[in-house]
Amino acid sequence: MHLLEQKMKAWKQVKAWKAHSHALCGTILLLIVSLMYMSSNNEFHVQSGSFASGTCQGKRIYMYNLPDKFNTLILKNCSGQIVPWLNFCPHAQNDGFGSAIANHSGWYASDLYMVELVFHRRMMEYPCLVDSMEAADAFYVPYYSGLDALRFLYGSDRGKAGEHGSELVAWLEENGGSRWRRKGGADHFVVTGRTVWDLCAATPGWGTGLLELGALQNVTVLCVEGRTWVTREQAVPYLTSFHPGSVEELGIWTGRVGSAERNFLFAFVGGERKDVGLRQAIIWQCRNSSRCDFLNCGQIKCSHRPVAVMEKLLTAEFCLQPPGDSPTRRSTFDGLIAGCIPVFFRNDSAYQQYTWHLPKDTDSYSVFIPEDRVVHGGLRIEDVLGEYSAERRGEMRENIVGIIPRLVYMSVGASQGVVKDAFDVSLEGVLRRAGQANLTIQ
């Protein structure tokens, strides 16, 4: 946490960062080329364009120099000052990755809400940052909206949830200049580690009013889950616990994923629920099948136990992904980076959410079983999954291996311009939207 604050101060003083370059040995280049062709979607590939050639045409981003109260000051209050019983200081370590897992290079006890810190840190090293608002193609607002929401959701400002974000809007309107006022924020973007349901007051008695503020209605919101009918809300991958520090480390992991011995047909990692519904039906079927492996997250805290979770996921061909507290859940991405073929039960669990990061051909990497057929139709999941041949499962897993880089947030400088990770893909999408705004709003 203190390291991030120091780097923020340095950026504010000089606003100039030098890109780091490291030579790749021939064996790693061969590995990357091999993985590139493993995916029929060609999702894993060598980057080209601005990062390779050095040009920033159409990719220039201006990062607002917000007052500390909108980001780093929130981190200083991580231990009980925002919510008395909550200490998220350990999660803010290592620029938002959390504490490192001993003897597992590239793995951290990451908390899913820290994606806004990770994104901010990566933006600080973005090679096409500009000092001039007039020269920018897009604008990044480094506001830790998800962490700031804690005081409105659980803390002393709970009765003022409708005021969440009002201070930010006031600051932007005073300091945002003509670009903010002229385009109404259409070429601006923010990042949050929470689902939009926490920030739009959609449920009576829950949520803040951040996304209902009129001044933010044109701003692109990168979130871990959005409302599928609101185009400005774009879902980006949940923060998993794998953050490779190099392309080599990424290649070693994908190699392990491809060669893992999978002794179970399917698996489920999650907690039990009191209500009788899809999740309970899944758990019942899993417990009554010798071909299913179940990790009960009600007994261990799975969110910060990546080793235990991965050990389960690597042993299964398919991973069941019912909705969590909302349509999506982090386990979807845990399963994917383990090469476990996801089984979805609702279209809004993934297909309508992560359109920038997941293949359009959903059958190429996943299985869909309608929720109703399991809960009310008596369908046995094992029967459906048992129809997939070993060859077909292998093809689907190769496609998943091909998109793993797009689903993980690598360490700063780790991709070396060779692969695109979740941050890179998200930024490309933001720039496309900003480009459309620049064409339509003059």
Side-chain angles (χ1 to χ4, degrees), residues 267-273 279-280 282-283 286-287 292-303 308-309 312-313 319-324 329-332 334:
F268 177 63
V269 174
E272 297 189 68
R273 299 292 173 90
R279 183 170 293 221
Q280 290 306 103
I282 283 174
I283 292 175
C286 188
R287 281 177 166 161
C292 184
D293 199 12
F294 173 42
L295 178 61
N296 190 345
C297 292
Q299 297 177 349
I300 70 168
K301 193 171 183 179
C302 294
S303 59
V309 170
K312 289 288 184 182
L313 298 177
C319 286
L320 308 184
Q321 302 296 355
R329 68 189 194 118
R330 172 178 171 169
S331 180
T332 296
D334 289 334

Side-chain angles (χ1 to χ4, degrees), residues 40-167:
S40 60
N41 295 307
N42 291 324
E43 296 287 0
F44 192 104
H45 59 279
V46 177
Q47 282 197 34
S48 61
S50 66
F51 300 128
S53 63
T55 177
C56 289
Q57 183 66 33
K59 302 179 184 295
R60 295 178 292 263
I61 296 178
Y62 179 87
M63 180 162 66
Y64 281 99
N65 186 7
L66 295 181
D68 290 348
K69 68 178 179 179
F70 293 115
N71 41 54
T72 56
L73 186 58
I74 298 174
L75 296 185
K76 289 181 180 179
N77 295 327
C78 59
S79 180
Q81 283 86 353
I82 300 176
V83 180
W85 64 85
L86 180 63
N87 176 16
F88 61 87
C89 297
H91 307 323
Q93 294 178 19
N94 295 308
D95 298 330
F97 287 165
S99 56
I101 303 297
N103 303 318
H104 291 80
S105 182
W107 289 87
Y108 299 80
S110 298
D111 189 84
L112 59 92
Y113 295 120
M114 296 297 117
V115 69
E116 48 206 42
L117 274 70
V118 172
F119 205 100
H120 190 190
R121 180 67 185 91
R122 288 288 299 275
M123 279 302 306
M124 289 164 61
E125 301 288 350
Y126 180 63
C128 293
L129 283 179
V130 294
D131 294 332
S132 168
M133 295 184 72
E134 293 304 316
D137 299 296
F139 299 80
Y140 170 51
V141 183
Y143 172 43
Y144 295 170
S145 57
L147 294 178
D148 196 30
L150 290 171
R151 61 190 173 102
F152 297 101
L153 294 172
Y154 306 104
S156 58
D157 290 332
R158 188 170 183 178
K160 304 176 182 178
E163 299 178 14
H164 183 203
S166 57
E167 289 183 279

Side-chain angles (χ1 to χ4, degrees), residues 142-298:
Y143 172 43
Y144 295 170
S145 57
L147 294 178
D148 196 30
L150 290 171
R151 61 190 173 102
F152 297 101
L153 294 172
Y154 306 104
S156 58
D157 290 332
R158 188 170 183 178
K160 304 176 182 178
E163 299 178 14
H164 183 203
S166 57
E167 289 183 279
L168 174 70
V169 168
W171 189 91
L172 287 170
E173 291 181 344
E174 181 178 351
N175 300 277
S178 61
R179 291 299 296 268
W180 167 255
R181 290 188 292 272
R182 180 160 62 92
K183 298 183 183 298
D187 50 4
H188 286 57
F189 68 101
V190 296
V191 182
T192 181
R194 306 195 75 92
T195 71
V196 297
W197 311 109
D198 295 334
L199 307 175
C200 68
T203 303
W206 179 253
T208 77
L210 177 69
L211 298 183
E212 305 306 319
L213 295 175
L216 300 181
Q217 291 306 298
N218 294 324
V219 174
T220 294
V221 180
L222 300 185
C223 50
V224 293
E225 179 182 323
R227 291 170 289 187
T228 57
W229 61 92
V230 180
T231 56
R232 67 188 175 94
E233 296 169 5
Q234 178 63 43
V236 298
Y238 275 82
L239 201 67
T240 68
S241 291
F242 182 45
H243 310 289
S246 67
V247 175
E248 179 181 16
E249 203 164 75
L250 175 63
I252 291 172
W253 173 253
T254 54
R256 180 182 176 186
V257 166
S259 62
E261 185 176 349
R262 300 179 186 270
N263 299 316
F264 290 92
L265 178 63
F266 60 115
F268 177 63
V269 174
E272 297 189 68
R273 299 292 173 90
K274 294 181 180 179
D275 59 310
V276 178
L278 177 62
R279 183 170 293 221
Q280 290 306 103
I282 283 174
I283 292 175
W284 185 89
Q285 289 198 25
C286 188
R287 281 177 166 161
N288 286 276
S289 172
S290 61
R291 306 180 73 185
C292 184
D293 199 12
F294 173 42
L295 178 61
N296 190 345
C297 292

Side-chain angles (χ1 to χ4, degrees), residues 223-420:
C223 50
V224 293
E225 179 182 323
R227 291 170 289 187
T228 57
W229 61 92
V230 180
T231 56
R232 67 188 175 94
E233 296 169 5
Q234 178 63 43
V236 298
Y238 275 82
L239 201 67
T240 68
S241 291
F242 182 45
H243 310 289
S246 67
V247 175
E248 179 181 16
E249 203 164 75
L250 175 63
I252 291 172
W253 173 253
T254 54
R256 180 182 176 186
V257 166
S259 62
E261 185 176 349
R262 300 179 186 270
N263 299 316
F264 290 92
L265 178 63
F266 60 115
F268 177 63
V269 174
E272 297 189 68
R273 299 292 173 90
K274 294 181 180 179
D275 59 310
V276 178
L278 177 62
R279 183 170 293 221
Q280 290 306 103
I282 283 174
I283 292 175
W284 185 89
Q285 289 198 25
C286 188
R287 281 177 166 161
N288 286 276
S289 172
S290 61
R291 306 180 73 185
C292 184
D293 199 12
F294 173 42
L295 178 61
N296 190 345
C297 292
Q299 297 177 349
I300 70 168
K301 193 171 183 179
C302 294
S303 59
H304 301 131
R305 298 281 298 277
V307 176
V309 170
M310 285 297 131
E311 285 177 349
K312 289 288 184 182
L313 298 177
L314 285 168
T315 65
E317 298 278 3
F318 297 92
C319 286
L320 308 184
Q321 302 296 355
D325 293 326
S326 57
T328 69
R329 68 189 194 118
R330 172 178 171 169
S331 180
T332 296
F333 294 95
D334 289 334
L336 283 167
I337 66 171
C340 195
I341 302 166
V343 180
F344 298 117
F345 302 87
R346 287 173 49 175
N347 280 311
D348 57 353
S349 289
Y351 301 154
Q352 298 173 354
Q353 290 283 347
Y354 306 99
T355 55
W356 291 352
H357 296 78
L358 295 177
K360 293 180 180 179
D361 181 5
T362 58
D363 291 338
S364 69
Y365 76 96
S366 68
V367 175
F368 180 75
I369 300 176
E371 178 178 2
D372 248 10
R373 295 189 63 191
V374 177
V375 178
H376 303 296
L379 180 69
R380 293 181 73 242
I381 297 171
E382 180 178 341
D383 292 343
V384 176
L385 302 181
E387 294 178 358
Y388 284 77
S389 66
E391 181 181 6
R392 178 65 181 131
R393 296 196 303 264
E395 291 172 352
M396 297 171 77
R397 182 157 298 106
E398 285 184 0
N399 292 335
I400 291 172
V401 167
I403 64 171
I404 286 177
R406 303 168 65 88
L407 309 179
V408 299
Y409 295 87
M410 300 180 72
S411 299
V412 172
S415 69
Q416 302 175 31
V418 177
V419 298
K420 296 179 182 179

